[in-house]
Amino acid sequence: MARANDEIEAILQEYADLIAITGGDAFRARSYEKAARAIGGYPADVTTLDPKGLREIPHVGKSIADKIVEYLTSGRISAVEERRQSIPAGVRELIAIPMLGPKKALLLYEELGISSVDQLLDAVHGERLRDLRGFGEKTEANILHGIALMQKAGTRILLNAAMDAAERIVAELSGVEGCERCAYAGSLRRMRETIGDIDVLVAADASAPFMDALAALPNTAEVIAHGAKKTSIRTTKGLQVDLRVLPPDSWGAGLQYFTGAKAHNIRTREIAVRQGLKLSEYGLFDAESGERIVSSTEEEIYERLGLPWIPPTLREDRGEIEAALRGELPVLVTEEDIRGDLHTHTDLTDGLAPLEEMVAAAAARGYSYYAVTDHAPDLAMQRMTKEKTLAQRERVRELDRKHKGMRLLHGTELNIGPEGDVDWPDDFLAGFDICLASIHSHFNQSRDALTRRLVRACENPYISVIGHPTTRRIGKRPPVDADFDAVFAACARTGTALEINAHPERLDLGDEDILRAKRHGVRFAIDSDAHSTTHLPYMRYGVATAQRGWLSKDDVVNTWPLTKLRRFLRPSV
């Protein structure tokens, strides 16, 4: 289900890791990393490009282009295969552990003969790593946490990957003759950050054509079960898809039944029982007579239970039933409410597209305003300078005069240093329209140090937004260990917004942290953190995460008109 771009990004990133493990040239490894990221974020499908077109992708030269062609024609890259053979299989297994890294994995294999996760766990518990250079109690704790992250992730995939697969399947099944309705349900419709399997529903009089169509899809690798009411398949990417075909007049009941979390559904069924009713995927029935009362829409199911329609993103049994009964459900923020994106990057630092392309793509989304926030100089690998920033500002101002329907803001993403300091002095920060600040390093400081660091950034009068506040990367890096209730209180006190980073690998803040921060009175910014034009649509995942955190548009600063937003970004300092 993944784009060819994503597959090539993954294999080139693997090649970069293999080069690093085997002691290859660091510059060469870095060049493959850059090419991998550029291909993953490139808007055109690489399968449509000839070798010359491939070389037009940033960081892709002849050698890398040749490898891409080889992969597209044969499904393999011989150079990668050769590197794989030079690395013990066990080391490759260890590399998958978040926070371990290729060099440490190879050292564990060479010094202690560790070639599996189980052997590594035994070594940690036996305290056998502490004599190795670069290892200690802190490293052991990180390894254990990394293994836990990996095991917790299991076969779950990121939200965007599941959405891509589901939308393709829904499109395919919607075209089958006899389809009256088709949609995905389950945790995907609730927009959870990771998805274990995909539930797809079809409303039709006959089920067989849809069951056969699912089994025959090009990306179906295995048919797990094939029946009249339910068919389950596994895709070539290992994702399970469960299809159920419902009678058209049961559509609403089925959608309600297969969308809510188990705890939410238990609550709605309990309400039905108290009213002498029975709720199933086929409808709401009178418990005594068996007569069906309502079934065709979700709205009428909830209404007959004495509830307003509850948005799918809230159906987790986290107070939504009680709020609905009180008439206090929030009017959730929607993607249509978003007036602009306040955190984006260009190829001046680690983005993949030039300023003009990013601005044009943002304008095409209908935004009222758009901020360019490239990295500041303390992220040394980006090689930012004051001169580059000021030159970019002039280009932004020129483009702003041309885009009459969308105002451009020139900003920066600052780095929150170990002591809470940031890259530039106040007099230089005063020239930006917006300053975000984020943690990009020193993740393993003590809880007190990380808390002070974030609070100090909140107290900087020029910083309007804290970017990806917990720094987590889902399944790869855990959140930093800070007292976030203290951070939330500081944000509320100083009027600093917290970002909901919409990148599917981050979704940071997550929904539970949003709920806590909202109770402190914090404002939020939903941003794409786009590093290419293809990342701007990630906004939908940030909005969904905000909905799961019960946010309305008034809670989100980039739903505000520009005049109100400017007052927020630049209070008297």
Side-chain angles (χ1 to χ4, degrees), residues 386-458:
K386 285 186 176 181
E387 291 73 22
K388 288 181 180 180
T389 296
L390 293 174
Q392 184 187 62
R393 185 173 298 165
E394 287 304 310
R395 291 172 61 203
V396 168
R397 300 295 183 240
E398 290 174 12
L399 287 171
D400 183 54
R401 289 189 286 271
K402 296 177 182 178
H403 284 270
K404 301 302 181 184
M406 182 178 75
R407 296 275 64 85
L408 299 183
L409 306 177
H410 186 242
T412 180
E413 183 183 7
L414 301 163
N415 305 286
I416 303 174
E419 301 300 321
D421 51 315
V422 295
D423 311 65
W424 280 313
D426 288 356
D427 59 346
F428 195 71
L429 295 180
F432 289 100
D433 297 316
I434 176 174
C435 294
L436 294 92
S438 309
I439 289 179
H440 293 105
S441 63
H442 299 85
F443 304 119
N444 295 324
Q445 286 181 301
S446 71
R447 181 178 177 85
D448 287 345
L450 280 161
T451 304
R452 286 195 301 271
R453 182 179 176 185
L454 284 162
V455 169
R456 185 180 173 195
C458 295

Side-chain angles (χ1 to χ4, degrees), residues 246-247 249-257 269 272 277-286 290-297 300-301 304-305:
L246 301 165
D249 59 2
S250 292
W251 176 255
L255 196 58
Q256 192 279 331
Y257 186 88
R269 289 198 296 270
L277 305 172
K278 179 182 178 181
L279 179 61
S280 76
E281 64 265 44
Y282 295 106
L284 189 61
F285 299 85
D286 183 282
E291 178 187 358
R292 184 163 60 186
I293 300 171
V294 289
S295 62
S296 61
T297 69
E300 66 184 14
I301 295 288
R304 181 60 181 81
L305 294 175

Side-chain angles (χ1 to χ4, degrees), residues 234-286:
R234 200 176 311 281
T235 71
T236 53
K237 299 299 179 184
L239 180 63
Q240 182 170 326
V241 180
D242 297 327
L243 170 64
R244 294 172 177 85
V245 178
L246 301 165
D249 59 2
S250 292
W251 176 255
L255 196 58
Q256 192 279 331
Y257 186 88
F258 289 112
T259 292
K262 181 179 179 180
H264 174 90
N265 287 351
I266 289 172
R267 297 294 302 280
T268 55
R269 289 198 296 270
E270 287 174 346
I271 292 173
V273 169
R274 287 197 295 270
Q275 297 180 20
L277 305 172
K278 179 182 178 181
L279 179 61
S280 76
E281 64 265 44
Y282 295 106
L284 189 61
F285 299 85
D286 183 282

Side-chain angles (χ1 to χ4, degrees), residues 23 70 78 103 139 187 189 212 232 242 281 366 378 410 414 485 565:
E70 180 185 2
S78 55
K103 291 184 179 178
T139 309
S187 59
R189 190 169 178 233
D212 293 342
S232 298
D242 297 327
E281 64 265 44
D378 283 356
H410 186 242
L414 301 163
D485 282 305
L565 176 66

Side-chain angles (χ1 to χ4, degrees), residues 94 114 116 199 369 391 533 537:
L94 296 181
I114 294 172
S116 72
D199 293 297
Y369 44 82
T533 57

Side-chain angles (χ1 to χ4, degrees), residues 343 467-468 499-503 506-509 525 527-529 542:
H343 182 180
H468 44 77
E499 182 178 66
I500 301 170
N501 189 295
H503 195 291
R506 290 189 184 273
L507 298 181
D508 182 12
L509 290 171
D527 302 318
S528 70
D529 193 4

Side-chain angles (χ1 to χ4, degrees), residues 270-344:
E270 287 174 346
I271 292 173
V273 169
R274 287 197 295 270
Q275 297 180 20
L277 305 172
K278 179 182 178 181
L279 179 61
S280 76
E281 64 265 44
Y282 295 106
L284 189 61
F285 299 85
D286 183 282
E288 286 191 11
S289 68
E291 178 187 358
R292 184 163 60 186
I293 300 171
V294 289
S295 62
S296 61
T297 69
E298 285 191 317
E299 287 80 0
E300 66 184 14
I301 295 288
Y302 280 107
E303 182 180 6
R304 181 60 181 81
L305 294 175
L307 299 166
W309 179 78
I310 298 176
T313 45
L314 296 186
R315 299 181 198 175
E316 298 284 355
D317 191 28
R318 294 195 292 201
E320 71 276 8
I321 299 289
E322 292 79 3
L325 289 169
R326 296 193 304 267
E328 296 177 0
L329 281 177
V331 178
L332 297 177
V333 63
T334 68
E335 197 169 358
E336 289 70 33
D337 293 325
I338 301 297
R339 294 175 183 251
D341 200 332
L342 301 181
H343 182 180
T344 68

